[in-house]
């Protein structure tokens, strides 16, 4: 039997089912007036579509808590072209899964072959990938002869990572250098 809870017991990060939607609470505000029931204004992310929506639930409304599983897997490769799949392997059973590239477009920019990621599941449904906060990647293309100009404003140049992702890096970074990249923003963090 699933855990049913009052809407007022939800908090940021909690995952619940409501109207056949798998939602994760981003923010919740409680509002009580003298003449009405407690209202819970919930900002939630749909874990299947990625859409963020707001809803109003009253105290006494029951929702079903959902529990997500996470499993570490190794990224193997992605098909060439826009459409296609990204392939991952379970580190324990060696079973392979595939995800549509469109669903993990952002994450693939920071995944080198053989890197480990957490795959998030709900029952047998794969929801997505959870990247580490920072990843180490190699620069394969940048202008090593760039001349620093305006050093007051932290001069930068464009670089291409081994995954094909382009970003701005400081002038002293050369081809072949391993750098640390923040996966949330896609920005340069430091040298590895």
């Amino acid at each position: 039997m699933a855990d049913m809870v009052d809407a007022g017991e939800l908090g940021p990060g909690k995952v619940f089912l409501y109207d056949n939607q798998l939602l994760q609470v981003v923010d919740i505000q409680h509002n009580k007036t003298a003449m009405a029931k407690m209202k819970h204004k919930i900002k939630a992310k749909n874990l299947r579509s990625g859409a963020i929506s707001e809803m109003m639930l009253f105290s006494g409304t029951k929702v079903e808590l959902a529990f997500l599983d996470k499993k570490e897997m190794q990224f193997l490769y992605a098909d060439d072209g826009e459409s296609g799949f990204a392939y991952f392997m379970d580190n324990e059973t060696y079973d392979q899964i595939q995800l549509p590239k469109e669903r993990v477009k952002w994450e693939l920019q920071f995944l080198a072959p053989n890197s480990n990621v957490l795959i998030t599941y709900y029952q047998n449904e794969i929801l997505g990938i959870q990247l580490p906060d920072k990843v180490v990647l190699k620069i394969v293309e940048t202008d090593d002869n760039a001349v620093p100009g305006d050093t007051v404003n932290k001069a930068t140049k464009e670089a291409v990572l081994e995954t094909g992702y382009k970003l701005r890096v400081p002038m002293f970074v050369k081809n072949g250098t391993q750098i640390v990249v923040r996966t949330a923003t896609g920005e340069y963090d430091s040298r590895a």
Side-chain angles (χ1 to χ4, degrees), residues 1 23 33 44 46 68 81 89 92 108 129 134 162 164 166 181:
M1 180 70 191
L23 304 168
T33 58
N46 185 318
L68 303 181
M89 180 180 68
E92 296 168 6
L108 285 176
I129 299 174
K134 297 177 182 178
E162 61 188 297
K166 294 179 182 175
V181 179

Side-chain angles (χ1 to χ4, degrees), residues 107-174:
E107 292 88 346
L108 285 176
Q109 297 177 109
F110 308 106
L111 289 178
N114 303 322
S115 53
N116 288 330
V117 294
L118 286 176
I119 303 286
T120 306
Y121 289 89
Y122 173 67
Q123 295 173 347
N124 290 328
E125 178 185 359
I126 299 169
L127 297 173
I129 299 174
Q130 183 178 339
L131 291 173
D133 292 336
K134 297 177 182 178
V135 293
V136 176
L137 293 167
K138 183 178 175 182
I139 292 182
V140 294
E141 185 182 321
T142 190
D143 184 8
D144 285 344
N145 299 321
V147 178
D150 183 7
T151 55
V152 174
N153 293 323
K154 294 186 180 180
T156 61
K157 60 185 177 180
E158 189 172 273
V160 180
L161 300 176
E162 61 188 297
T163 61
Y165 182 68
K166 294 179 182 175
L167 76 162
R168 307 288 301 175
V169 297
M171 298 300 275
F172 60 80
V173 176
K174 306 282 185 212

Side-chain angles (χ1 to χ4, degrees), residues 39-58:
K39 296 177 191 173
H40 310 288
K41 184 177 178 185
I42 300 171
K43 185 176 186 180
K45 178 180 180 181
N46 185 318
L47 294 178
R48 292 182 177 121
S49 69
I52 294 180
S53 60
E54 290 188 0
M55 62 180 64
M56 184 76 70
L57 297 177
F58 290 97

Side-chain angles (χ1 to χ4, degrees), residues 68-84:
L68 303 181
D69 292 319
K70 293 182 181 177
K71 185 166 214 148
E72 187 173 69
M73 292 194 169
Q74 184 180 66
F75 171 62
L76 299 174
Y77 66 95
D79 293 335
D80 292 334
E82 287 297 313
S83 60

